[in-house]
Structure formats: C-alpha cells, structure tokens
C-alpha cells in the first residue's frame, strides 16, 4: 500500500460545499476545554450550516486505552454531549451519535483489519507517539494499537468526504483512504470513498502554563464548564513574562499567555493592541491585563455555562437527543453495510 503525501489529503474550509459529508468526534475521557473550542467545536458550529455533519462520541475508541476504567468513559459521554449542545452544536443540524450503539462499526473494523498489514500499523507515527506518551512499551493493548482501523470504519461507513482532525491524526486518514481503496479494488466495487482531512488553520491554543498544548493530563486547561471563580483563579496563575519583575519594566508579548488568549478571545482587538504597546513601553501591571482577560472569558463562557446548566437539570433530555442522533446515524450505516456485505459476498442466511 502506498504512503501518500499529506499535501494531497488536506483540504481547506473554502473547498467545502453542500455535497460534502463531515465526520468528526471526540473520545469521552473528560470535559471539553477552550482548546477544543478553538481547535474544533467552533468550526463544527459553523460547518453544520454548510453540509451534512456527523459527530461521534467515540466511547469504544476511548476504551482502547481505558479498559480498566470504563466508568470514566461512561461518565463523560453525557458531559461531552452537554459540551456540544452548550457551544451551539445543534442536534438537528448535526447528527450526534454514540459509537458503541452502532455495532456495525465493529463488524466493519473486522473486515478492515484484513486489509492492512502489521508493518504498516506499527509504522503509524500517530500511534507510535501515543504509545510512547502512555508508556505502554510492549504491553500496548491490541485494541489501542489497531484503533486507527476502527477509526477508518467510523469514516468509511458514512462515506465521509471531510474529516476535521488535528495535524497529528492525518496519518490515520491516509490509512483510512488506503483501506478504502484496497477494499474497492479487491472486491471490485466503488462503495467506499476517500476522505480529506480538514486541519485547524489557527495554531493550537496553548495551556495556561505556556505548554504548547492545552490538555487535561497536563493540568493546564480551562474547561467550558468551569465556574467563574475557577476561571479567575486559573487566569491569575497564568504564565506571563518571567522578565517582567517590576511594573515599570518593559514587558514581552511573545510567550505571555494572557496576551495569547486575548488575541483569540477579545472582540476588541484595538484595545488589545493598545495594551500590548503599553506593556512593551513598561508601566503596565500583569494584574491589569489578567483582569481584562477574566472579563473577556466571562463574557464568552457565561452563555455557554447557562445553557449547560439548563441541560444539566435534564439529563434524560440530553440522553434522548443523543439517542435520536444515534438512530439517524445507524440507519445510514446500515445502508452502507448492506453494500459492504454484498461487495464482500458475505453469505446471507
Ligand atoms: N480520534 C479522535 C480523538 O481522539 C476521535 C475519533 C474517533 C474520530 N473516530 C473518529 C475523529 C473519526 C474523527 C473521525 O478525539
């Protein structure tokens, strides 16, 4: 199987039309944070007006490295669903579904596992990295090691044409396209379609500590569900400028997380430019800039938090919305799977 160059597989927001089908989703292992919002949730709320969009809560994939803690996965399914709903992802415009409730995905994963060789899987840079990060060594669960094949099944069963993912997940989509092409060639069919990766154009939102990635495990995240006092506390402890010891010293903008966040979230960029200029001149206290960021984040998060509180009062309704989306998604997958089984020549009883 050929290893494709990444340039061919990446598409742009401008190229997406009403004919496209988007599939995207998250592992439910924790509540979603501002990094998720900047990196993907915002785009989903926008793209749902452009074309069909499926969003999966990937609980089966989450179990591939949480087999010893299924409770964590279970507890986060509705949390993630509430995060989606509270940032304006509409359960009517988007089809939000639960991965484990579509057993055909596991079936397709089995067929796909025969179309990829062990050498190719072990070279996958995404998984190699994740194995290192998790310290699995030789003890990597086979399910985790093969999760890209499961993800290929997620993508192919909807005939998705666009898959928004982080840069690090692009090799998984190359694998998915190779599996689809192999399937079509071997079984003389055209049921499966190649997809393109839509990667974020804005850089990753760094963590509050200045680490390049906001993540739960690094403890540097501001969550969409954080109450105001927690947000304020996190902003006050943000990484700013170690060389800015006295207020009158000139400040450095580059690497100061408070300015980085203001760049992203402050609607009044002229004021941000003035503050930067003042900081560089000297005489601007960190506390003043932090107070502004606390205000800005409050304005941004308050409506999200309010919507979340509404849904939080009615978990049965949240579950019902997920069930409706899952039924809609299931019907589409059942149709694809009929074509897949026909192409494969699976015996019908
Ligand atoms: N791998 C994604 C994550 O870690 C979740 C995911 C599972 C996904 N299946 C997918 C994303 C299919 C896009 C398409 O968050």
């Amino acid at each position: 199987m050929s290893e494709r160059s990444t340039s061919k597989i990446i598409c742009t927001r401008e190229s997406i039309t009403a004919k496209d089908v988007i599939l995207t989703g998250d592992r439910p292992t924790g509540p979603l944070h501002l990094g998720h919002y900047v990196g993907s949730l915002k785009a989903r709320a926008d793209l749902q007006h452009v074309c069909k969009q499926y969003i999966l809560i990937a609980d089966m994939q989450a179990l591939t490295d949480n087999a010893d803690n299924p409770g964590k996965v279970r507890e986060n399914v509705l949390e993630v669903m509430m995060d989606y709903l509270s940032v304006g992802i509409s359960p009517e415009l988007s089809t939000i579904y639960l991965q484990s409730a579509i057993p055909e995905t596991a079936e397709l994963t089995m067929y796909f596992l025969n179309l990829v060789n062990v050498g190719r899987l072990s070279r996958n840079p995404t998984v190699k990295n994740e194995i290192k990060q998790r310290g699995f060594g030789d003890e990597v669960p086979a399910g985790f090691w093969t999760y890209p094949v499961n993800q290929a099944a997620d993508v192919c069963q909807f005939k998705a044409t666009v898959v928004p993912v982080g840069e690090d997940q692009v090799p998984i989509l190359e694998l998915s396209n190779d599996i689809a092409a192999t399937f079509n060639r071997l079984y003389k069919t055209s049921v499966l379609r190649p997809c393109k990766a839509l990667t974020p154009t804005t850089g990753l939102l760094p963590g509050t500590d200045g680490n390049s990635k906001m993540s739960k495990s690094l403890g540097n995240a501001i969550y969409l569900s954080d109450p105001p006092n927690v947000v304020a506390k996190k902003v006050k402890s943000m990484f700013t400028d170690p060389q800015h010891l006295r207020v009158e010293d000139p400040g450095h903008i580059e690497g100061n997380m408070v300015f980085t966040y203001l760049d992203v979230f402050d609607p009044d960029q002229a004021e941000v430019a003035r503050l930067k200029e003042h900081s560089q001149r000297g005489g601007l206290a960190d506390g003043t800039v932090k107070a502004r960021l606390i205000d800005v984040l409050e304005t941004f998060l308050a409506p999200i938090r309010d919507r979340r509180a509404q849904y939080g009062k009615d978990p049965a309704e949240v579950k019902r919305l997920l069930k409706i989306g899952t039924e809609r998604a299931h019907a589409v997958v059942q149709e694809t799977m009929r074509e897949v089984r026909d192409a494969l020549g699976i015996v019908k009883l």
Side-chain angles (χ1 to χ4, degrees):
M1 274 182 274
S2 66
E3 320 249 337
R4 287 156 200 243
S5 73
T6 49
S7 57
K8 263 196 273 173
I9 198 177
I10 291 175
C11 72
T12 59
R13 165 69 181 84
E14 293 70 42
S15 70
I16 299 174
T17 69
K19 283 196 218 128
D20 278 300
V21 176
I22 294 179
L23 174 74
T24 183
D26 301 277
R27 298 180 188 184
T29 51
L32 303 183
H33 51 59
L34 292 178
H36 292 113
Y37 182 82
V38 172
S40 60
L41 301 175
K42 187 171 187 258
R44 293 179 197 175
D46 158 39
L47 286 165
Q48 66 185 351
H49 298 283
V50 177
C51 65
K52 259 206 188 95
Q53 176 168 254
Y54 296 92
I55 302 174
L56 88 158
I57 301 184
D59 59 340
M60 282 184 115
Q61 189 180 108
L63 283 169
T64 62
D65 65 339
N66 287 285
D68 56 349
N69 197 358
K72 173 167 117 183
V73 176
R74 179 176 57 245
E75 281 154 23
N76 280 299
V77 166
L78 289 191
E79 291 298 316
V80 167
M81 180 69 180
M82 283 193 282
D83 283 331
Y84 288 166
L85 297 171
S86 55
V87 297
I89 295 174
S90 147
E92 278 104 41
L93 294 174
S94 297
T95 298
I96 312 173
Y97 80 97
L98 183 63
Q99 188 188 27
S100 61
I102 300 194
E104 288 85 351
T105 311
E107 180 190 354
L108 189 57
T109 303
M110 279 304 282
Y111 301 145
F112 278 4
L113 279 167
N114 302 325
L115 305 180
V116 60
N117 65 62
V118 166
R120 171 79 188 269
L121 281 181
S122 54
R123 282 194 302 275
N124 186 302
T126 316
V127 180
K128 257 168 106 172
N129 241 328
E130 289 173 329
I131 289 173
K132 214 185 278 162
Q133 281 168 9
R134 287 166 175 73
F136 279 140
D138 288 342
E139 315 260 286
V140 54
F144 185 79
W145 196 63
T146 53
Y147 92 76
V149 183
N150 178 240
Q151 188 155 326
D154 293 329
V155 171
C156 290
Q157 67 190 356
F158 292 105
K159 305 183 184 184
T161 58
V162 175
V163 183
V165 286
E167 205 79 57
D168 58 323
Q169 294 248 315
V170 171
I172 294 183
L173 300 184
E174 290 167 13
L175 178 77
S176 177
N177 282 351
D178 285 348
I179 291 174
T182 305
F183 185 98
N184 286 349
R185 177 172 49 76
L186 279 178
Y187 309 123
K188 301 187 175 45
T189 175
S190 53
V191 288
L192 302 183
R193 303 231 184 101
C195 68
K196 299 236 174 205
L198 180 67
T199 52
T201 42
T202 54
L204 286 180
L205 183 71
T208 52
D209 59 354
N211 192 299
S212 64
K213 193 172 176 176
M214 181 177 282
S215 93
K216 189 172 190 225
S217 51
L218 294 171
N220 62 6
I222 295 177
Y223 294 99
L224 296 170
S225 49
D226 274 345
N229 61 325
V230 173
V231 176
K233 202 168 146 225
K234 288 177 177 175
V235 171
K236 283 181 193 152
S237 69
M238 260 179 157
F239 182 86
T240 53
D241 177 2
Q243 283 153 284
H244 192 223
L245 296 175
R246 290 166 306 170
V247 174
E248 58 273 24
D249 290 340
H252 300 80
I253 307 303
E254 189 87 14
N256 181 331
M257 289 305 110
V258 185
F259 279 115
T260 304
Y261 281 46
L262 284 174
D263 284 344
V264 176
F265 292 101
D266 196 329
D268 186 354
Q269 287 296 314
E271 178 60 19
V272 175
R274 272 193 295 277
L275 283 169
K276 284 182 181 171
E277 194 269 320
H278 188 177
S279 168
Q280 282 167 321
R281 218 182 330 128
L284 182 64
D286 275 2
T288 309
V289 196
K290 285 180 170 173
R292 180 169 184 94
L293 180 59
I294 291 171
D295 273 356
V296 163
L297 288 182
E298 243 342 90
T299 308
F300 171 74
L301 287 172
I304 295 175
R305 205 183 286 126
D306 287 350
R307 254 174 276 149
R308 209 176 191 291
Q310 288 302 316
Y311 286 114
K313 276 190 239 155
D314 196 355
E317 171 65 4
V318 177
K319 210 168 173 183
R320 190 186 69 86
L321 293 172
L322 182 58
K323 189 167 181 208
I324 292 174
T326 301
E327 282 163 359
R328 227 159 46 213
H330 198 179
V332 174
V333 170
Q334 281 172 319
E335 184 51 39
T336 306
M337 287 308 287
R338 269 191 283 278
E339 297 173 324
V340 161
R341 292 186 206 107
D342 276 351
L344 256 170
I346 297 289
V347 171
K348 289 193 192 112
L349 295 178

